[in-house]
């Protein structure tokens, strides 16, 4: 691991569909499921990304074209050097009889979680939602992992609807001991409303605008708790989440304003 | 803990959160207080919000940290709210760090910041990484330093003012004297040094988006100690010694050079937020071992 800026060449790129690619780098560090790295495109910007898998001696970042940064990533070729700092933060803990809930591109950190849970012989069910089928990349990979449920807003894959439409039924039919979630915060707020009364413990991988990644700038500190998401997060458990007053509300931008 | 008097302010310890570190929100500053920090300084703020420079904006290197955040801040309205919120939740002193683009703006920000009744206003005239936008830092010019001190003092009312100086320019002792002559109540020394630059050898480009940035952390301790030493020689007003303090020995050196209280920032990266507790205990142990009863007995001792 290194907090210092170092650049590494992209070893290979796999295109999954329009505007969705995986970038593979040498496995320059070990990474916990849920930890993130800061990726630097020289001359452009630096942004946090979840590591989505570790395959043999390579780490994978799966990126969807969305803003200027991820669009620029789509132009990158194998051999191009990019800066990587990290991994940063604390990841998921491992539990048996789990339910993994993900939404949209936010499912990236859940792939490595599923990978690691499986390695340690923990059983789990997955429930993944997206706007449309193209957003659920690696759907066949998830298929191979056992019981899984997909929802899409347009019904193009799995059930038409959102994850919270299916969640009560899954909780009723299965003996779930732990819940993991990643994706849009608004999705998680709704999930939280449903799972809090059940008493099942959970962890959620949060996102905020970040600058330093090393716990000093204060940009990603959460209101109500003082938690530095880049150090004490990005994965927070039920207890940590209960102290946060800004969950599902406005977030701070680069200036620090709530927008 | 070692209670400390500073400008009629009671601090539970001599370690203070330096500006620019974890000082954006009340929740964040309150958490630092829980780790033994004696007072907090907000992130520097201006009248209007600023996005600051693009990332990478903060990069550690082997001996310290390089940053060009670019004075990003949510603007005075948001920051006044956060200071007031901190006040309601916490009894520890809070210092408001302010800056302006122009001399007049320094006055206006001070006037508005004073409404939130911080325990002190720290005036950042020495940020080294907004050169392309602001030109040479005001704090490297004797006439500008004098003018800003006057304007800020005029608008601060009864709230004490500390001018934050950098290690560069016409001599920090001389600048500190100008601040004192124009009514400053304290000096904060020093801001980050440089600016400096780091270049990635594979892509052959500067790492910081701003290309250059201020240097902090262990690398600048000797510069900070020497600056505090010089300021102590030249003025009577108290000094917030800041720059590179990471270990107990660093803090003691600063006190021996003449610091009244100690600004701690980048050390949060090296030692965690616990650094405040660690330094406080370390200072206490040093005093005991060396047979002293208080910090006062060793302050400026290196000058004798």
């Amino acid at each position: 691991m290194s907090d210092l800026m170092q650049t590494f060449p992209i070893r290979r790129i796999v295109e999954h569909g329009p505007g969705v690619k995986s970038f593979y780098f040498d496995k320059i560090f070990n990474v916990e499921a849920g930890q993130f790295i800061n990726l630097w495109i020289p001359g452009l910007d630096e942004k946090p990304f979840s590591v989505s898998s570790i395959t043999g001696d390579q780490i994978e970042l799966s990126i969807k074209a969305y803003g200027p940064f991820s669009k620029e990533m789509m132009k990158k070729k194998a051999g191009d050097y990019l800066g990587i700092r990290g991994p940063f933060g604390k990841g998921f803990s491992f539990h048996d009889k789990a339910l993994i809930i993900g939404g949209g591109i936010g499912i990236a950190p859940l792939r490595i979680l599923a990978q690691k849970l499986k390695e340690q012989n923990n059983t789990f069910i997955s429930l993944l939602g997206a706007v449309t089928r193209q957003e659920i990349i690696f759907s066949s990979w998830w298929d191979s992992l056992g019981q899984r449920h997909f929802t899409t807003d347009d019904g193009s894959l799995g059930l038409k609807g959102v994850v919270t439409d299916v969640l009560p039924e899954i909780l009723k039919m299965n003996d779930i001991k732990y819940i993991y979630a990643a994706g849009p915060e608004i999705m998680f707020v709704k999930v939280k409303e449903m799972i809090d009364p059940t008493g099942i413990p959970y962890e959620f991988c949060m996102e905020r605008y970040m600058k330093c990644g090393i716990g000093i700038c204060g940009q990603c500190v959460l209101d109500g708790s003082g938690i530095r998401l880049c150090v004490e997060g990005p994965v927070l458990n039920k207890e940590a989440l209960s102290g946060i007053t800004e969950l599902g509300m406005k977030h701070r931008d680069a200036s620090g304003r709530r927008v | 803990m070692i209670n400390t008097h500073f400008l009629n302010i009671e601090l539970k310890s001599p370690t203070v959160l330096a500006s620019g570190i974890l000082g954006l929100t009340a929740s964040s500053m309150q958490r630092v207080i829980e780790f033994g920090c004696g007072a907090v300084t907000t992130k520097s703020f201006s009248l209007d919000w600023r996005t600051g420079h693009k990332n990478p904006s903060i990069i550690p290197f082997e001996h310290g940290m390089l940053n060009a955040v670019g004075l990003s801040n949510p603007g005075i309205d948001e920051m006044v709210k956060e200071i007031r919120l901190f006040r309601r939740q916490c009894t520890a002193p809070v210092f408001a760090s302010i800056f302006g683009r122009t001399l007049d703006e320094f006055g206006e920000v001070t006037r508005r910041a004073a409404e939130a009744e911080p325990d002190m206003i720290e005036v950042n005239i020495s940020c080294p990484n907004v050169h392309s936008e602001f030109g040479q830092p005001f704090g490297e010019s004797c006439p500008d330093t004098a003018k800003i001190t006057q304007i800020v003092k005029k608008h601060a009312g009864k709230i004490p003012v500390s001018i934050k100086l950098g290690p560069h320019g016409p001599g920090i002792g001389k600048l500190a004297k100008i601040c004192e002559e124009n009514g400053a109540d304290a000096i904060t020394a020093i801001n980050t040094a440089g600016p400096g630059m780091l270049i990635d050898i594979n892509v052959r480009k500067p790492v910081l988006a701003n290309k250059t940035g201020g240097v902090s952390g262990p690398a600048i301790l000797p510069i900070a100690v020497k600056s505090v030493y010089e300021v102590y020689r030249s003025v009577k007003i108290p000094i917030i010694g800041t720059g590179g303090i990471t270990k107990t020995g660093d803090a003691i050196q600063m006190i021996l050079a003449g610091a009244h209280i100690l600004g701690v920032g980048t050390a949060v990266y090296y030692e965690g937020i616990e650094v405040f507790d660690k330094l406080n205990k370390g200072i206490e142990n040093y005093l005991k071992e060396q047979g002293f009863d208080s910090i006062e007995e060793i302050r400026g001792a290196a000058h004798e």
Side-chain angles (χ1 to χ4, degrees):
Chain A
M1 113 158 214
S2 176
D3 300 346
L4 278 55
M5 181 64 86
Q6 289 175 281
T7 47
F8 303 94
I10 299 168
R11 292 299 185 196
R12 67 191 171 98
I13 299 172
V14 175
E15 188 164 2
H16 302 289
V20 186
K21 288 182 181 178
S22 284
F23 299 86
Y24 294 85
F25 297 86
D26 289 344
K27 191 182 159 193
I28 39 196
F29 45 67
N30 278 311
V31 61
E32 289 173 38
Q35 282 189 310
F36 66 96
I37 56 106
N38 274 7
L39 184 65
W40 174 45
I41 302 180
L44 185 69
D45 208 344
E46 184 193 39
K47 286 198 182 292
F49 282 90
S50 295
V51 174
S52 43
S53 81
I54 297 177
T55 321
D57 56 357
Q58 289 188 322
I59 59 161
E60 176 196 352
L61 305 177
S62 40
I63 297 176
K64 184 190 175 192
Y66 179 71
F69 189 97
S70 46
K71 282 178 183 157
E72 184 63 27
M73 277 304 290
M74 297 302 134
K75 298 179 193 161
K76 293 294 170 193
K77 302 201 164 29
D80 285 351
Y81 277 82
L82 294 174
I84 295 181
R85 293 195 291 139
F88 296 125
K90 292 203 168 58
F92 291 103
S93 58
F94 299 136
H95 302 272
D96 194 24
K97 295 185 180 173
L99 172 62
I100 295 177
I101 306 173
I105 196 69
I107 66 173
L110 297 177
R111 277 186 59 218
I112 187 168
L113 170 68
Q115 206 176 32
K116 298 223 171 187
L117 284 174
K118 201 175 175 207
E119 276 169 22
Q120 302 193 5
N121 296 317
N122 292 303
T123 58
F124 58 91
I125 297 168
S126 46
L127 167 59
L128 306 174
V131 174
T132 182
R133 70 176 304 144
Q134 280 87 12
E135 257 188 41
I136 302 185
I137 53 173
F138 308 105
S139 59
S140 53
W141 182 84
W142 285 101
D143 283 343
S144 72
L145 290 175
Q147 194 190 138
R148 60 102 190 109
H149 306 263
F150 293 138
T151 67
T152 46
D153 294 1
D154 62 3
S156 56
L157 184 68
L159 280 161
K160 187 172 190 289
V162 293
V163 293
T164 41
D165 296 339
V166 195
L167 181 57
E169 186 67 13
I170 294 176
L171 292 175
K172 208 167 93 185
M173 300 301 291
N174 299 279
D175 179 25
I176 304 291
K177 298 286 191 206
Y178 210 86
I179 296 172
Y180 302 103
E185 204 161 305
I186 191 69
M187 172 202 85
F188 175 69
V189 169
K190 287 177 188 154
V191 166
K192 187 174 180 295
E193 278 170 18
M194 287 183 172
I195 60 180
D196 270 335
T198 68
I200 302 170
Y202 52 81
E203 286 174 336
F204 173 52
C205 186
M206 277 182 89
E207 288 180 25
R208 282 294 179 275
Y209 183 86
M210 287 183 183
K211 281 184 180 170
C212 72
I214 52 175
I216 63 164
C217 75
Q219 199 74 31
C220 67
V221 174
L222 300 168
D223 276 355
S225 66
I227 286 174
R228 300 169 294 172
L229 198 65
C230 69
V231 174
E232 284 96 26
V235 175
L236 298 177
N237 64 19
K238 187 177 176 176
E239 289 68 40
L241 287 158
S242 68
I244 298 165
T245 53
E246 62 173 75
L247 202 66
M249 293 159 69
K250 288 178 175 180
H251 304 164
R252 288 193 173 75
D253 70 358
S255 75
R257 284 176 310 154
R258 291 183 185 85
V259 290
Chain B
M1 278 204 270
I2 326 154
N3 286 311
T4 309
H5 259 309
F6 172 75
L7 297 173
N8 295 325
I9 305 162
E10 282 291 335
L11 282 78
K12 286 207 170 125
S13 83
T15 49
V16 175
L17 179 71
S19 181
I21 308 291
L22 296 176
L24 195 60
T25 62
S27 292
S28 183
M29 295 189 287
Q30 194 179 350
R31 180 142 181 252
V32 179
I33 292 295
E34 287 161 15
F35 284 91
C37 175
V40 290
T41 314
T42 67
K43 184 157 181 30
S44 293
F45 58 90
S46 50
L47 275 185
D48 299 320
W49 60 271
R50 292 169 55 86
T51 303
H53 299 311
K54 280 200 162 171
N55 295 328
S57 54
I58 304 168
I59 293 290
F61 62 100
E62 214 179 325
H63 312 288
M65 192 92 69
L66 190 67
N67 95 80
V69 170
L71 295 171
S72 66
N73 78 91
I76 194 156
D77 292 339
E78 279 284 325
M79 288 307 291
V80 160
K81 270 187 226 162
E82 295 294 335
I83 293 169
R84 289 197 164 127
L85 187 58
F86 178 84
R87 274 257 172 278
R88 282 205 296 278
Q89 294 171 348
C90 201
T91 55
V94 53
F95 303 158
S97 175
I98 60 109
F99 72 95
R101 255 171 285 206
T102 61
L103 299 184
D104 287 343
E105 193 179 334
F106 271 98
E108 183 60 9
V109 183
T110 302
R111 189 183 66 74
R112 299 276 316 280
E115 288 169 8
E117 298 185 353
D119 294 274
M120 188 190 80
I121 293 173
E122 184 172 275
V123 187
N124 181 0
I125 59 170
S126 46
C127 176
N129 64 49
V130 284
H131 209 278
S132 57
E133 187 185 351
F134 292 10
Q136 185 201 30
F138 293 113
E140 289 178 20
S141 147
C142 294
D144 286 346
T145 298
K147 278 183 223 155
I148 289 175
T149 308
Q150 285 167 15
I151 287 173
V152 165
K153 273 304 287 179
K154 194 174 118 193
H155 289 89
K158 60 181 194 326
I159 295 167
V161 166
S162 180
I163 309 290
K164 187 166 187 176
L165 298 173
H168 311 296
I172 196 166
K174 188 175 168 186
L175 286 164
K177 189 77 194 155
I178 290 168
C179 295
E180 186 181 47
E181 285 167 358
N182 286 282
D185 302 283
I187 298 292
T188 306
I190 55 177
N191 210 317
T192 52
M197 181 185 279
L198 290 167
I199 296 171
D200 183 85
I201 60 169
N202 294 319
V203 300
R204 295 178 278 279
K205 281 185 169 64
V207 173
L208 288 179
N210 188 52
K211 296 186 175 68
T212 66
V215 185
S216 66
I220 69 161
L221 180 77
I223 301 172
V225 169
K226 178 257 186 189
S227 299
V228 168
Y229 188 91
E230 251 183 75
V231 173
Y232 186 80
R233 253 199 333 211
S234 101
V235 298
K236 296 272 184 291
I237 52 177
I239 305 161
I240 304 175
T242 308
I245 299 174
T246 311
K247 305 281 188 191
T248 298
D250 309 337
I252 301 296
Q253 288 189 59
M254 275 291 199
I255 297 167
L256 294 173
H260 207 101
I261 54 176
L262 308 164
V264 176
T266 305
V268 170
Y269 165 63
Y270 294 100
E271 302 285 322
I273 308 181
E274 301 84 349
V275 69
F276 296 95
D277 271 332
K278 284 185 199 167
L279 290 172
N280 295 338
K281 288 197 182 84
I283 295 167
E284 225 173 314
N285 287 341
Y286 171 86
L287 293 175
K288 206 185 288 171
E289 280 166 24
Q290 301 281 327
F292 297 106
D293 293 324
S294 69
I295 290 178
E296 282 70 38
E297 291 172 50
I298 62 163
R299 184 174 299 124
H303 294 264
E304 285 153 18

